[in-house]
Amino acid sequence: MSDPNGSPSPPATSSVFTTGTRIRVHESPAGAMTESTPDQPVSVASASAGVSDGEDADRAYESVITTRDLSVFYGSYQAVREVDMNFGKNRITAMIGPSGCGKSTVLRCFNRMNDLIAGARVEGTITYHGQDVYAPDVDTIEVRRRVGMVFQKPNPFPKSIYDNVAYGPRVNGWKVQSMDDVVEEALTRAALWDEVKDKLKESALALSGGQQQRLCIARCIAVQPDVILMDEPCASLDPIATSKIEDLMRELADDYTIIIVTHNMQQAARVSDRTAFFTADVDDDGVRHGRLVEMDWTKKIFTNPSDPRTEGYISGRFG
Amino acid sequence: MSAPPSTLVDKHAVAAGAEGFLRQQRARNGEKAVFVVLLLAALVSVATTVGIVISLFVPAFQFFDEVPITDFLFGANWSPTFANPQFGVWPLIVGTLLITVIASTVALPLGLGSAVYLSEYAKDRERRALKPALEVLAGIPTVIYGFFALTLVTPLLRWIIPGDGEVPQIYNALSAGLVMGIMIIPTIASLSEDAMSAVPSGLRQGAFALGSNRRQVSTRVVVPAALSGITAAFVLGISRAIGETMIVVMAAGLQPNTSWNPLEIHQTMTAFIAATAAGDIATGTVVYKTIFAVGALLFVMTFVMNMISIRLVRKYREVYE
Ligand SMILES: Nc1ncnc2c1ncn2[C@@H]1O[C@H](COP(=O)(O)OP(=O)(O)O)[C@@H](O)[C@H]1O
Ligand SMILES: [Mg+2]
């Protein structure tokens, strides 16, 4: 099953699927910036990155995605205002904050899913490995192959488990040596293989909610992304399924850069390396706009935040 | 917050004190009347269906007392009104199938294409303008389409297709089939579009997020998920084509023909029924009963097609919830 429009083979890493060793992430595009400090001067976080906390000091901090003065509009409504952030390679970054403060909106910019919403518009810059994600010559399909997404409500296709995982490689037109191996490996990485290996041809919709969500993660992994965006991936799951996904995220962080939006403060504290706290400000005209309050190492955000609003929110929630 | 209004509290207090306060307190005759009226409404349509089936099949069975059913089904000559009548229905089946196939060839791809465009490609504004336009198209009386076939499409075909003056004939299956296809496009497009818009947008987003382009989202995710609705649209469209009468009477002609050449004159089952019922034939004669035999066959064919498509849908559809 190949697609005439697609590229002939998976980028650079096809062999890993056939040898059965672990999936490597994409090579950074040529000319990508790989400095060992965040390339973004503004945030408090970058000052402390790898320095003050000593946490992760052994690993160099490398930004994969950086935003500068990012504002997002829906029509004339400015949902998010001037956000500066950066997301470290192979780190899990959590975005927390009250409902409606624009976390999902920001997340959808990173793989340009906002393009699908009529009237949505982005100002400021987002770079991915130094490349402007919103540059005119950027192909959204290329962006989405590298920046995958897992949604709040598990959305497996009404196809077999196998076909769900094979979907991405197929639409991308990859000539893989063995689709079976790709499927097995992706499901294994998503910690689902043992549960489904005997029923790959059965409908994905027969799985439980937690299994469906892990299938969606497997489906995402099968296109070998570099970054995985997760928008409240556990919001519709029970605590056991949630903890499975959290364990999985920790494992995936070895190979992927993960950005997760969550309502669950404990979850952010448990899984993430870094945390961005958003809130909604009311401007002079009484309109609410989402804003980034601060972004820092998770440990610091939860023990010693710089901004009193962060402290208020966290202590309120932990109560 | 002050105390709640006392009238509300009192009513319950009184009721709760009284003996048997949980019994029905007031007569509710309105309820019963509504139930009866609705039941009657439902029964009317059921009764009508039963009535049609009986009035169709009883004379049809009487017909088969006089003409062996094998002669009817397998005979290749259809001339019930001749002095030496022949009752082989095959030529009418050929005409019907030929025209239905032509119509489907036109209408299925174009109807599905329009539906995919409307549901997956069109902007909101376009969709809001085009969908009602389609539905208006679906309401044009078929006699208009028949006229369109006869006065525009047929001359055009005769001009385009080089014949030796023999074909295309003035009345031909191709013209009727093409126009009938155009006639059922709106039905197919509109119903398919309904089915596709009902596919949850989460599936589309999931597909886009995996790097699909719009065509892949449409053909690999949305259409398969909407397959049962799309098939229903196809079946309804084809049923309309099989049952359509006016266009075929006007454009395909009234002469039974066993040739599969679409450029020749053909009579369909419906055209035969219409022409014969409009002619002057005596009630109770064999010719009269022929109408019912052909009608019953039409009924059975449509019914079988529906059953097959229901089976197919059960087997191949992707249930999304
Ligand atoms: N598709 C949309 N069209 C218009 N406004 C939207 C849309 N999605 C979100 N918004 C608005 O943008 C703001 C931020 O929403 P969202 O990003 O969903 O917040 P969060 O994920 O933090 O709860 C909200 O005020 C919301 O009403
Ligand atoms: Mg959200």
Side-chain angles (χ1 to χ4, degrees):
Chain A
M1 288 282 267
S2 72
D3 186 296
N5 288 355
S7 54
S9 61
T13 47
S14 58
S15 61
V16 302
F17 278 102
T18 52
T19 56
T21 54
R22 57 174 222 179
I23 298 172
R24 278 175 56 228
V25 296
H26 279 277
E27 302 300 338
S28 305
M33 287 186 269
T34 50
E35 285 136 51
S36 59
T37 51
D39 52 352
Q40 188 255 92
V42 223
S43 110
V44 191
S46 44
S48 63
V51 185
S52 66
D53 279 75
E55 186 174 0
D56 279 319
D58 52 323
R59 277 204 291 167
Y61 187 92
E62 176 192 334
S63 277
V64 172
I65 291 180
T66 306
T67 75
R68 183 147 325 154
D69 284 337
L70 174 68
S71 294
V72 189
F73 298 80
Y74 292 111
S76 59
Y77 169 62
Q78 185 172 11
V80 175
R81 206 168 233 201
E82 291 150 17
V83 171
D84 290 315
M85 291 196 281
N86 69 76
F87 299 89
K89 185 171 170 61
N90 294 4
R91 314 279 171 158
I92 300 179
T93 308
M95 292 164 55
I96 61 170
S99 270
C101 64
K103 305 178 298 291
S104 301
T105 299
V106 168
L107 197 72
R108 283 197 298 264
C109 292
F110 301 150
N111 63 346
R112 298 206 31 186
M113 287 297 279
N114 278 341
D115 289 25
L116 301 174
I117 300 172
R121 186 163 54 82
V122 168
E123 277 181 12
T125 53
I126 301 174
T127 55
Y128 167 71
H129 290 291
Q131 311 269 317
D132 182 356
V133 172
Y134 278 86
D137 61 345
V138 164
D139 181 2
T140 53
I141 289 173
E142 290 301 325
V143 175
R144 291 177 195 146
R145 278 177 191 172
R146 291 173 171 79
V147 184
M149 187 168 216
V150 176
F151 297 80
Q152 178 167 348
K153 188 167 176 291
N155 59 352
F157 302 128
K159 303 178 187 296
S160 70
I161 294 168
Y162 186 100
D163 285 342
N164 264 275
V165 181
Y167 180 90
R170 282 174 181 161
V171 295
N172 287 311
W174 291 346
K175 298 245 185 334
V176 291
Q177 281 179 4
S178 159
M179 188 61 85
D180 293 356
D181 291 347
V182 173
V183 169
E184 175 172 350
E185 181 152 11
L187 285 168
T188 306
R189 297 244 49 199
L192 190 59
W193 175 250
D194 289 336
E195 291 159 62
V196 302
K197 61 174 183 255
D198 299 323
K199 47 180 182 180
L200 293 174
K201 296 290 170 199
E202 284 173 30
S203 170
L205 298 186
L207 298 175
S208 71
Q211 290 173 322
Q212 288 188 6
Q213 197 62 302
R214 275 177 285 145
L215 178 63
C216 291
I217 293 172
R219 190 173 72 175
C220 175
I221 290 173
V223 286
Q224 298 172 260
D226 173 18
V227 179
I228 301 176
L229 310 175
M230 299 187 172
D231 193 347
E232 303 192 33
C234 304
S236 60
L237 305 182
D238 63 62
I240 292 172
T242 298
S243 92
K244 277 191 184 153
I245 301 240
E246 288 178 5
D247 292 347
L248 176 58
M249 284 167 62
R250 288 280 13 147
E251 262 172 51
L252 293 175
D254 291 344
D255 296 306
Y256 305 93
T257 300
I258 296 177
I259 307 176
I260 173 178
V261 168
T262 177
H263 256 112
N264 180 333
M265 215 67 53
Q266 286 92 333
Q267 182 169 65
R270 278 192 301 262
V271 302
S272 72
D273 302 303
R274 290 172 45 89
T275 298
F277 173 60
F278 281 73
T279 189
D281 279 353
V282 180
D283 70 7
D284 297 340
D285 301 326
V287 183
R288 284 160 52 91
H289 304 284
R291 258 183 192 289
L292 174 69
V293 176
E294 65 178 307
M295 179 169 193
D296 210 325
W297 295 105
T298 299
K299 197 166 144 201
K300 177 152 190 309
I301 291 274
F302 280 88
T303 54
N304 181 23
S306 310
D307 195 293
R309 286 172 294 180
T310 314
E311 182 156 23
Y313 185 70
I314 287 169
S315 56
R317 280 303 182 94
F318 275 134
Chain B
M1 288 286 264
S2 56
S6 59
T7 46
L8 293 177
V9 175
D10 281 350
K11 272 191 182 164
H12 287 294
V14 170
E19 172 74 12
F21 68 96
L22 285 179
R23 284 188 214 121
Q24 186 174 323
Q25 299 294 310
R26 293 183 291 123
R28 286 195 289 253
N29 293 328
E31 196 86 359
K32 225 166 226 153
V34 167
F35 172 78
V36 169
V37 168
L38 293 179
L39 180 67
L40 283 178
L43 284 180
V44 167
S45 58
V46 173
T48 314
T49 311
V50 172
I52 287 177
V53 170
I54 291 174
S55 63
L56 193 60
F57 280 89
V58 168
F61 283 127
Q62 291 169 1
F63 169 82
F64 291 122
D65 285 343
E66 297 175 43
V67 178
I69 191 160
T70 45
D71 286 9
F72 177 72
L73 288 178
F74 305 115
N77 256 318
W78 183 255
S79 52
T81 52
F82 287 12
N84 176 23
Q86 299 282 314
F87 297 98
V89 79
W90 180 242
L92 299 189
I93 295 181
V94 169
T96 302
L97 287 184
L98 189 58
I99 291 174
T100 304
V101 166
I102 294 170
S104 309
T105 310
V106 172
L108 302 191
L110 288 180
L112 184 59
S114 323
V116 170
Y117 177 79
L118 278 179
S119 158
E120 306 303 310
Y121 287 80
K123 299 211 169 59
D124 247 14
R125 210 149 30 95
E126 288 175 273
R127 181 169 29 242
R128 273 201 300 272
L130 286 174
K131 192 91 197 291
L134 266 184
E135 273 145 19
V136 168
L137 260 179
I140 294 178
T142 55
V143 65
I144 309 268
Y145 282 104
F147 191 70
F148 171 64
L150 193 60
T151 60
L152 196 80
V153 177
T154 300
L156 208 62
L157 287 176
R158 282 162 70 87
W159 180 64
I160 294 170
I161 301 173
D164 41 11
E166 296 278 312
V167 289
Q169 297 174 345
I170 295 270
Y171 296 107
N172 65 75
L174 184 59
S175 172
L178 290 178
V179 171
M180 194 190 280
I182 294 171
M183 177 196 84
I184 61 179
I185 287 173
T187 306
I188 291 177
S190 182
L191 290 175
S192 303
E193 201 270 338
D194 289 344
M196 287 163 62
S197 335
V199 173
S201 65
L203 293 183
R204 290 186 186 83
Q205 288 181 16
F208 275 120
L210 290 166
S212 317
N213 58 36
R214 208 167 274 278
R215 175 180 57 79
Q216 291 164 332
V217 173
S218 311
T219 57
R220 293 175 185 235
V221 176
V222 179
V223 167
L227 196 65
S228 71
I230 292 172
T231 311
F234 282 5
V235 171
L236 190 71
I238 295 173
S239 301
R240 279 195 66 188
I242 294 178
E244 166 49 34
T245 309
M246 213 58 216
I247 295 175
V248 290
V249 167
M250 292 172 77
L254 290 173
Q255 188 176 304
N257 189 347
T258 49
S259 152
W260 288 98
N261 186 346
L263 303 176
E264 293 177 6
I265 189 167
H266 279 276
Q267 186 173 40
T268 66
M269 296 193 269
T270 51
F272 165 78
I273 294 173
T276 311
D280 95 84
I281 41 159
T283 319
T285 59
V286 184
V287 179
Y288 174 81
K289 288 174 192 155
T290 319
I291 296 175
F292 295 91
V294 174
L297 180 61
L298 200 58
F299 184 94
V300 169
M301 279 171 63
T302 320
F303 187 77
V304 168
M305 192 183 75
N306 276 291
M307 296 318 278
I308 292 175
S309 53
I310 288 172
R311 285 261 164 127
L312 285 180
V313 166
R314 288 234 177 93
K315 189 155 178 209
Y316 292 110
R317 73 177 164 174
E318 294 182 341
V319 189
Y320 49 77
E321 209 72 55

